[in-house]
Amino acid sequence: MGCNYPGFFPETSKKLIDICKEKGIDYSIDCCKKPVYEKGGYAKISQIKKLCQIKNVRRLICCCPNCYHFLKDKIDIEVISIYKFLKENNIGQKIQGEVNIFFPCSDRYNKEIFQDIKYYIKDYKNPYKKINCCGLGGGAIDCEKDLVKDISNYMKENAKDNIYTYCSSCAGIFKNKYKLNNVKKFLSEILGTNESASSNYGKNILKFKFKNYRK
């Protein structure tokens, strides 16, 4: 599940956990360590490797594009995106109408994850090419205030009828920091929860990680 998705999209996370339980798939709320790496720290992923070994994991399904791209070459098991999993199992609904996509920085150029998302959409545009990041990556939101202000102003000035993204961090900062009310998350739309990014991030994480979600 990663750390950001349950924090920003708790209802969609619950639905996804139920889907996975029916197929005998476990879940974990953990950080992939990419934020540590981006800020210049040593990204130790031994905890994730150990967890995969203990549970005899053969395939790791990532909800977060950052987790996917960071882990896929660092652990010795197959790593796929949640959209590949949904597509393989014929789960989820198609999205009608044209979508305006803000591509997350980790998938912006090779668009590996997007190849599976395309199965769920008909038409799309990429109107946000002039900025490379939502402002959260690399600690910019704390250390580069002017850059974040420019990103915020650009998104507000160029926001279309909808802003679709497949990164929960992007969706969260757009809605809660930049106050954009037309942000949609692909996974929530595909699974039919139509959930907006929550402002109770920390509280949501604690509910999942320490209280153990049950049906």
Side-chain angles (χ1 to χ4, degrees), residues 15-81:
K15 183 165 185 177
L16 184 59
I17 288 169
D18 284 343
I19 290 171
C20 289
K21 278 185 176 180
E22 291 177 0
K23 296 185 176 296
I25 299 172
D26 200 358
Y27 74 97
S28 178
I29 312 295
D30 286 292
C31 177
C32 68
K33 310 304 179 186
K34 186 175 187 289
V36 178
Y37 176 82
E38 286 184 334
K39 291 187 177 183
Y42 175 63
K44 189 177 180 180
I45 63 170
S46 57
Q47 180 181 350
I48 297 174
K49 289 182 176 179
K50 184 177 180 180
L51 182 63
C52 290
Q53 289 174 348
I54 292 172
K55 291 182 172 289
N56 193 29
V57 175
R58 292 172 293 174
R59 201 184 205 196
L60 185 64
I61 305 168
C62 294
C63 289
C64 172
N66 290 318
C67 294
Y68 168 79
H69 284 289
F70 186 69
L71 292 174
K72 66 174 185 172
D73 297 322
K74 293 180 174 64
I75 56 178
D76 297 327
I77 58 175
E78 182 184 11
V79 179
I80 67 168
S81 78

Side-chain angles (χ1 to χ4, degrees), residues 133-145:
C133 178
C134 69
L136 193 60
I141 198 166
D142 297 318
C143 305
E144 300 183 65
K145 302 293 186 181

